[in-house]
Amino acid sequence: MSQTDTRVGGVEAPPTLGDGRRPYWTSRRRDQLTGYLFIAPQLLGSVLFVILPLLLVVWYSLHEWNVLAGTFDFVGADNYAALADDPNLGPVLRATGLFSVGLVVLNLGLALLLAVLLNQKLRGTIVFRTLFFSPVVVSLVAWTIVWGFLLQDNGGLNGLLDTVGVDGPNWLRGEGSAMLSVIVVQVFKNVGLNMVLFLAALQGVPAELYEAAEVDGASRMRQFWRITVPLISPTILLTSIITVVGSLQVFAQIAVLTQGGPGTSTTVLVYYLYQQAFQFHHFGYGATLSIVLFGIVLALTVLQWQMRKRWVFHES
């Protein structure tokens, strides 16, 4: 059946079939289908690897799943009620908060300091940029194992201290030093990534602003706080969100260096979740802890995103 075209007021109307009906596959529908086909892989991946696992975790948290006994019993909100009676949950949350705060403060502070120093037009800055960024591409487990040997009681760090007459502690077994050691290892591992992001932001600040500030008599420190920080605040927001979320997901460093000890001083929430689910086989309670972790990450991310209106330049 042939298609016919009509013109109304000099404008070409949509093509119609011989009996007056419009064809189904119009150009608009073809364009829509093309768009859906382009987003289909990403959409399918999000459904299979994000949405579906989240729904399954919620479903598992309502059950008590004993893999060894082969039972899968519905217990409703019992696992959530058990959170209030868990004596280890309080220390675990405190350890998680301490690790996150220490990591974020040290990582962002050191990364910004290194970026400012490397932004100077001096010789050898390319070499130092490479040195500081190289740990980012090193295998996390390999990096952690090497640091484990260095931080042992008779390891390389204490051997270095012994040469100057200092008796170093057992870094990974002390109540106070274990958490500090894990934080420092993680900071050195990832500080290069934030450094590169800060460096790119610093190089985007117009030099004319600094020249005008110097003419007005502004000091270097005043220029930093009044010009540099506001203009790189979007990058500060990005790095803070990345670092906070990463600090709440730390696992390999704890598993390799301290196994959560001594006591529960370095048992962060992810490692405690692993213990409950895969060591003690409390999969239902482990799923419940993962819901708690998801809620914390979501709340902190939303909070930081809302705070951008107050301290991120050009946001309102």
Side-chain angles (χ1 to χ4, degrees):
M1 186 178 295
S2 64
Q3 296 184 359
T4 61
D5 295 333
T6 61
R7 291 181 178 272
V8 179
V11 178
E12 184 175 344
T16 59
L17 300 176
D19 56 1
R21 292 182 298 106
R22 292 181 57 186
Y24 181 79
W25 286 111
T26 61
S27 59
R28 181 179 180 181
R29 285 197 171 98
R30 287 196 297 268
D31 291 342
Q32 290 177 341
L33 177 61
T34 302
Y36 289 138
L37 290 176
F38 272 114
I39 67 172
Q42 177 68 28
L43 182 62
L44 182 62
S46 298
V47 171
L48 291 178
F49 300 109
V50 178
I51 298 177
L52 182 59
L54 283 175
L55 295 177
L56 288 175
V57 167
V58 174
W59 175 249
Y60 292 150
S61 70
L62 302 176
H63 294 75
E64 182 55 45
W65 185 9
N66 191 323
V67 178
L68 299 179
T71 59
F72 189 73
D73 302 321
F74 180 80
V75 295
D78 288 356
N79 287 322
Y80 293 91
L83 292 172
D85 300 327
D86 189 347
N88 294 322
L89 186 60
V92 167
L93 292 178
R94 284 195 295 271
T96 304
L98 179 61
F99 179 85
S100 297
V101 171
L103 179 64
V104 171
V105 172
L106 290 178
N107 193 315
L108 295 184
L110 182 58
L112 184 56
L113 176 62
L114 291 173
V116 171
L117 294 176
L118 294 177
N119 194 41
Q120 309 301 315
K121 297 185 182 300
L122 301 174
R123 288 186 177 181
T125 54
I126 296 179
V127 176
F128 283 103
R129 291 179 194 177
T130 305
L131 289 176
F132 288 126
F133 186 77
S134 57
V136 177
V137 298
V138 174
S139 169
L140 176 60
V141 175
W143 174 267
T144 308
I145 290 175
V146 171
W147 273 97
F149 284 112
L150 293 176
L151 294 173
Q152 287 180 356
D153 189 21
N154 57 349
L157 183 58
N158 281 347
L160 183 63
L161 293 175
D162 188 59
T163 60
V164 294
V166 177
D167 186 15
N170 190 346
W171 297 96
L172 300 178
R173 295 294 177 262
E175 287 286 344
S177 60
M179 178 60 77
L180 177 62
S181 301
V182 175
I183 292 175
V184 170
V185 170
Q186 182 66 5
V187 167
F188 286 162
K189 176 68 173 66
N190 290 328
V191 70
L193 178 60
N194 287 339
M195 179 200 71
V196 169
L197 294 175
F198 282 136
L199 188 58
L202 289 172
Q203 293 177 348
V205 178
E208 296 82 3
L209 297 179
Y210 295 114
E211 295 172 358
E214 289 180 0
V215 171
D216 292 338
S219 63
R220 287 293 183 90
M221 186 60 66
R222 191 170 182 83
Q223 292 177 32
F224 177 77
W225 289 110
R226 294 294 184 176
I227 298 176
T228 305
V229 172
L231 290 181
I232 68 171
S233 56
T235 303
I236 296 176
L237 173 66
L238 171 65
T239 54
S240 64
I241 292 177
I242 293 175
T243 308
V244 168
V245 173
S247 68
L248 294 171
Q249 296 177 340
V250 63
F251 172 78
Q253 298 88 330
I254 303 296
V256 174
L257 292 176
T258 65
Q259 294 80 46
T264 58
S265 61
T266 60
T267 303
V268 295
L269 189 55
V270 173
Y271 190 75
Y272 187 58
L273 185 161
Y274 161 77
Q275 287 181 322
Q276 292 294 323
F278 299 101
Q279 289 186 352
F280 307 144
H281 302 290
H282 298 157
F283 287 98
Y285 190 60
T288 306
L289 291 173
S290 67
I291 296 295
V292 173
L293 176 62
F294 175 78
I296 294 174
V297 172
L298 179 62
L300 290 177
T301 304
V302 172
L303 177 62
Q304 291 178 91
W305 185 250
Q306 292 299 321
M307 288 176 61
R308 82 191 191 281
K309 299 178 181 179
R310 292 190 175 184
W311 59 276
V312 175
F313 191 63
H314 284 324
E315 290 285 349
S316 59

